[in-house]
């Protein structure tokens, strides 16, 4: 159903937005996959609610943000059970990121979970920061 398609769509869009030769494309794809999966599993999102994925690049960083409806029951956290067989998404995000966190937008307005991934600057690319964004999952997705 929508969950698998949304996560797969997020991965392919991040790869397309950054380009296959970007120095941290694999980490950004992995982070987007984990954050979208968490948004679909742990937020109050219904099957066709809007989940937004934004990827912004600078010369030395890639920022991945996922906004979802949030949850009244809990916030994003890293599982502390070393033997757990699932629930390691934010642990993975923490390990591949320079930093990560959450922003609550207020009651009923959702939350954003984000991470910043260090990119190895290419000596050939000295362009200005280039934001790329779109949406994955939810309303309007195929």
């Amino acid at each position: 159903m929508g969950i698998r398609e949304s996560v797969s769509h997020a991965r392919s869009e991040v790869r397309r937005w950054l380009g296959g030769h970007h120095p941290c494309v694999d980490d950004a794809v992995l982070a987007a996959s984990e954050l979208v999966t968490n948004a679909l599993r742990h937020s109050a999102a219904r099957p066709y609610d809007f989940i937004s994925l934004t990827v912004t690049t600078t010369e030395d960083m890639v920022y991945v943000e996922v906004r979802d409806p949030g949850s009244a029951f809990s916030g994003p956290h890293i599982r502390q059970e070393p033997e757990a067989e699932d629930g390691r998404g934010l642990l993975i995000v923490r390990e591949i990121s320079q930093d990560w966190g959450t922003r609550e937008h207020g009651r009923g307005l959702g939350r954003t979970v984000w991470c910043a991934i260090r990119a190895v600057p290419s000596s050939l690319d000295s362009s200005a920061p280039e934001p790329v964004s779109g949406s994955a999952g939810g309303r309007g997705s195929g």
Side-chain angles (χ1 to χ4, degrees), residues 28-136:
V29 166
L30 178 58
S33 179
E34 295 298 337
L35 295 179
V36 170
T37 297
N38 282 353
L40 293 166
R41 282 190 181 168
H42 303 295
S43 76
R46 294 173 303 221
Y48 290 97
D49 279 348
F50 187 74
I51 304 290
S52 120
L53 168 65
T54 302
V55 176
T56 305
T57 62
T58 65
E59 188 174 314
D60 57 347
M61 299 294 281
V62 173
Y63 300 91
V64 179
E65 298 183 336
V66 174
R67 184 170 180 164
D68 62 49
S71 170
F73 301 108
S74 68
H77 64 278
I78 295 175
R79 290 196 56 179
Q80 300 300 318
E81 303 86 9
E83 302 302 317
E85 293 185 21
D86 65 353
R88 299 195 183 275
L90 287 178
L91 178 63
I92 292 168
V93 169
R94 183 184 74 185
E95 293 302 313
I96 63 175
S97 301
Q98 184 75 19
D99 197 9
W100 76 279
T102 64
R103 286 190 304 276
E104 296 292 336
H105 301 292
R107 186 179 179 121
L109 299 176
R111 83 166 51 100
T112 298
V113 181
W114 60 271
C115 67
I117 301 168
R118 183 165 302 286
V120 179
S122 170
S123 59
L124 300 175
D125 182 19
S126 59
S127 62
E130 178 183 340
V132 292
S133 66
S135 64

